[in-house]
Amino acid sequence: MEGLGVGVIAALLANLATLLFDHLYLSDTVNAQASLFVHIISLGLPPFAAYRALYGYSTSIDQTKPVMLIAIGGLFFNIAVNWLLVYGNWGFPVLGAVGCAVATSVGLWLMLAAMVVWIKLAPAYRATYPFDRWEAPHWPQIKNMLHLGLPIGITHFAEVSAFGAVSLLIARYGAVQISAHQIALNFSSLVFMVPLSFGIALITRVGQALGEGNPARARFAAWVGVAMSLGFAVLSAALIVLLRHQIAAAYTSDPAVRELAAHLLLFAALFQLSDATQVATSCAIRGYKVTRPPMVIQLFAFWGCALPLGWLLGLAPAALPWAPAAPMRAEGFWIGLVLGLTIAAVLLSGSLQRLSLRRLRA
């Protein structure tokens, strides 16, 4: 229930945030499309929040297979419905980005329903079944969960909102710039799923080791997970550099977009290293039930460093005498993102090192 409540609040805030679009120098068409997209996709935030709560519950008792299968099912559903609604196949209307929002929102409701049914029917959940009876809100427990969960939510908000703000700011430079940016960002996000999976596993493994009273194993698991994440990042970065033109060509046939996307993929390859490191270290720290330092670090890295530098290089505001002579556009924002992720990776690695040693000595 708490998850649904958080999702409803998030949906309301998302809809209110569309009022900011009027102040971002967007064209009327982009403004209208972006606002409609947010209004529709916000309907998927309540089921997403509830699904994530059940997702965490399932992984905490080592039931990761249902999460994987439901996610794969959700992926195929989104692919099919996007194919129908985005491009208007089989007689459906051509909705473009709005069709993507519809597919995503409906898919999230179906994923929540599938998770609830799985938990209800699978024997593995019977010992800890969460739906056997109604209980009134237990405020001390809710307070404890908020104490841990709110900083995690703010951490995710800092990263997601920074990338979202960059996309909106780049949009003023036209279709080529924003299209190339989205191609590089989309492929980077796809590759990022593997380090993110390592990070989610680290939360469980580190938490279980600490629950057993074994801080040495917790520290070992944390750094092995970080090393695995970084190792994958090195491999993916090398492949992105070597195949960047082929990757861009797989997304678009437009020569200008393809060329710029291939260039931005060089920056995407560079930040694979810091992105993989920061997500693994932040998840390992959460396994120690420590959430505020990662929140502060991420806010500083993205909103204190990445966005200001991207704004300076990408827009070259005339009000600042030390700005570049000409706006670097998407490239300038990607330089800022690389810097922000690198700062986050370094600071989070140091935080994990100090925290794990302190627990070991204690």
Side-chain angles (χ1 to χ4, degrees):
M1 292 302 295
E2 289 88 351
L4 281 174
V6 169
V8 169
I9 294 172
L12 293 174
L13 293 175
N15 282 279
L16 288 174
T18 59
L19 299 175
L20 298 175
F21 293 172
D22 296 332
H23 306 284
L24 293 177
Y25 306 102
L26 303 175
S27 68
D28 292 340
T29 302
V30 172
N31 191 333
Q33 285 289 309
S35 298
L36 182 57
F37 181 92
V38 172
H39 293 325
I40 294 174
I41 207 167
S42 66
L43 299 175
L45 290 176
F48 175 72
Y51 171 78
R52 289 295 299 183
L54 295 177
Y55 171 106
Y57 158 64
S58 186
T59 57
S60 70
I61 59 174
D62 285 339
Q63 294 299 308
T64 56
K65 182 179 178 180
V67 173
M68 177 191 71
L69 294 177
I70 291 171
I72 292 174
L75 172 65
F76 282 114
F77 174 85
N78 268 277
I79 291 173
V81 179
N82 278 322
W83 184 75
L84 294 174
L85 297 182
V86 173
Y87 302 107
N89 290 303
W90 287 3
F92 283 85
V94 180
L95 298 179
V98 173
C100 180
V102 171
T104 301
S105 292
V106 174
L108 289 170
W109 280 103
L110 291 177
M111 289 174 66
L112 173 61
M115 194 74 202
V116 170
V117 171
W118 193 303
I119 291 174
K120 183 176 179 60
L121 298 179
Y125 299 93
R126 288 174 186 167
T128 57
Y129 187 64
F131 305 130
D132 57 348
R133 65 186 182 276
W134 165 258
E135 294 183 3
H138 188 256
W139 295 112
Q141 183 67 25
I142 292 175
K143 181 180 178 181
N144 184 49
M145 292 175 64
L146 289 174
H147 178 77
L148 290 173
L150 278 179
I152 295 175
I154 295 172
T155 301
H156 286 306
F157 171 79
E159 184 172 0
V160 172
S161 61
F163 280 93
V166 166
S167 297
L168 289 172
L169 291 169
I170 292 174
R172 71 178 63 189
Y173 290 118
V176 171
Q177 290 285 321
I178 189 61
S179 298
H181 165 73
Q182 288 298 332
I183 289 171
L185 184 59
N186 180 268
F187 190 80
S188 300
S189 301
L190 181 65
V191 175
F192 176 70
M193 292 299 104
V194 176
L196 177 61
S197 300
F198 288 144
I200 293 170
L202 276 176
I203 296 175
T204 301
R205 292 305 180 199
V206 171
Q208 288 177 340
L210 292 172
E212 295 169 358
N214 193 339
R217 189 163 75 86
R219 186 171 189 269
F220 178 77
W223 286 111
V224 167
V226 172
M228 290 175 63
S229 185
L230 184 57
F232 175 82
V234 171
L235 176 62
S236 63
L239 291 175
I240 290 173
V241 170
L242 292 174
L243 302 175
R244 63 188 186 278
H245 292 286
Q246 291 84 345
I247 294 169
Y251 279 88
T252 180
S253 59
D254 186 290
V257 176
R258 196 165 58 228
E259 188 64 28
L260 181 57
H263 179 64
L264 295 181
L265 281 168
L266 290 173
F267 294 99
L270 183 60
F271 87 36
Q272 292 302 311
L273 307 178
S274 51
D275 204 12
T277 302
Q278 67 89 18
V279 73
T281 49
S282 64
C283 287
I285 291 170
R286 289 173 199 154
Y288 282 90
K289 282 190 166 184
V290 175
T291 58
R292 290 188 180 182
M295 176 191 71
V296 174
I297 289 171
Q298 297 279 35
L299 284 171
F300 170 72
F302 286 104
W303 285 90
C305 300
L307 273 180
L309 180 61
W311 176 72
L312 178 67
L313 299 178
L315 302 182
L320 299 178
W322 56 84
M328 298 178 70
R329 303 185 179 185
E331 182 181 4
F333 284 102
W334 275 81
I335 292 172
L337 291 173
V338 170
L339 174 69
L341 286 166
T342 303
I343 291 172
V346 171
L347 294 179
L348 286 166
S349 297
S351 180
L352 176 60
Q353 173 73 355
R354 291 189 299 272
L355 176 62
S356 60
L357 284 176
R358 187 166 67 246
R359 292 293 178 90
L360 188 61
R361 291 165 183 161

